Amino acid sequence: KHFVNFFTSYSFVRLLTNTLFLSLYSLVAAFPFPIILALMLNELRSVRYKKVVQTVTYAPHFISTVVMVGMLTLFFSPSMGVVNTVIEKFGGEAKDFMTDPTLFRHLYVWSGVWQGTGWGSVIYLAALSAVDPQQHEAAVIDGASRLQRIWYINLPVLLPTITILLILNCGSILSVGYEKVLLMQNDLTLDVSEVISTYVYKRGLLKAEYSFSAAVGLFNNVVNVTLLMV
């Protein structure tokens, strides 16, 4: 009964579309950056500079979701936000970015890219530590450029790790965490920001429809497991 109610409800298509779009957008945008950052950090020869860059890029990971959304709200505030201040300095008009439905997904995804890139690069740096230095020495003697050494030595070493992480990310493609979406959500962006996880939270906890929300959550898990197996 609960599955039928969910599949025939007017919000089913919208929820599924929003969840898939947000997940795929996040995957496509965020997945390459940790790999690129790890390759760049691996090329640094100054240990002190490398540690500074690592610290700066890792730090955003430890910012809580509530603080992150608070920072976005302050930065993009139409009255005192730094972004709108710069726009007005160049003769533009202030805009309320957080209530614009066309910008919600971009703000969600790219703030996530900034927050997670440094931390995501850790596992790739660990994989790069397995590269035999003699391979690079031999490549330099043979006249290989730095880009050629990255392409033919470093990337093949990273490929198994990249494959495993990509499979795991595809297996959680419908599991958009509700905290950040819920905090960024408002009445003006509801059409593009309502995802399965926020829907389950509102119906299950706020309206106490536990059986219905359990059925929706089960549907979510079945899809994720199917994608993972494929």
Side-chain angles (χ1 to χ4, degrees):
K1 180 182 70 176
H2 296 308
F3 285 116
V4 171
N5 289 342
F6 178 55
F7 295 147
T8 56
S9 66
Y10 72 95
S11 56
F12 172 70
V13 175
R14 178 169 59 93
L15 288 171
L16 194 59
T17 303
N18 289 344
T19 305
L20 282 172
F21 191 93
L22 206 58
S23 292
L24 291 172
Y25 186 7
S26 298
L27 180 63
V28 171
F31 194 77
F33 282 95
I35 302 169
I36 296 169
L37 179 61
L39 290 169
M40 291 171 67
L41 287 171
N42 191 59
E43 293 301 310
L44 292 177
R45 291 295 167 258
S46 172
V47 176
R48 180 176 295 180
Y49 182 60
K50 185 176 181 179
K51 286 181 178 179
V52 170
V53 173
Q54 284 179 308
T55 303
V56 171
T57 53
Y58 293 173
H61 172 77
F62 299 100
I63 300 174
S64 72
T65 306
V66 176
V67 174
M68 169 60 71
V69 177
M71 289 168 63
L72 289 174
T73 304
L74 287 173
F75 292 160
F76 293 100
S77 169
S79 57
M80 59 180 181
V82 64
V83 176
N84 277 309
T85 301
V86 173
I87 290 173
E88 289 177 332
K89 289 289 184 183
F90 285 95
E93 293 184 1
K95 182 178 181 179
D96 194 351
F97 290 88
M98 298 298 288
T99 60
D100 189 341
T102 60
L103 296 176
F104 173 84
R105 288 164 175 161
H106 303 300
L107 290 173
Y108 177 91
V109 170
W110 291 106
S111 63
V113 170
W114 172 74
Q115 189 174 17
T117 296
W119 186 255
S121 67
V122 172
I123 192 167
Y124 296 111
L125 279 171
L128 284 170
S129 65
V131 176
D132 188 350
Q134 291 183 356
Q135 292 186 11
H136 283 284
E137 292 169 5
V140 170
I141 292 171
D142 290 338
S145 65
R146 176 171 288 188
L147 284 177
Q148 286 175 322
R149 285 188 282 119
I150 291 173
W151 184 261
Y152 291 109
I153 299 174
N154 291 345
L155 273 179
V157 171
L158 287 180
L159 199 58
T161 306
I162 292 170
T163 304
I164 291 169
L165 290 177
L166 182 61
I167 290 170
L168 292 174
N169 284 334
C170 288
S172 58
I173 211 159
L174 286 186
S175 299
V176 178
Y178 78 95
E179 300 97 338
K180 189 176 178 182
V181 176
L182 196 66
L183 290 165
M184 291 180 64
Q185 203 175 69
N186 55 64
D187 291 338
L188 296 175
T189 62
L190 203 60
D191 283 342
V192 295
S193 65
E194 188 78 314
V195 293
I196 292 176
S197 56
T198 57
Y199 183 72
V200 169
Y201 168 75
K202 292 173 182 176
R203 291 290 297 267
L205 293 180
L206 300 185
K207 294 186 178 180
E209 298 179 15
Y210 304 118
S211 299
F212 178 81
S213 62
V216 177
L218 180 59
F219 161 75
N220 199 52
N221 292 337
V222 168
V223 173
N224 282 337
V225 170
T226 304
L227 287 170
L228 181 62
M229 296 305 295
V230 170

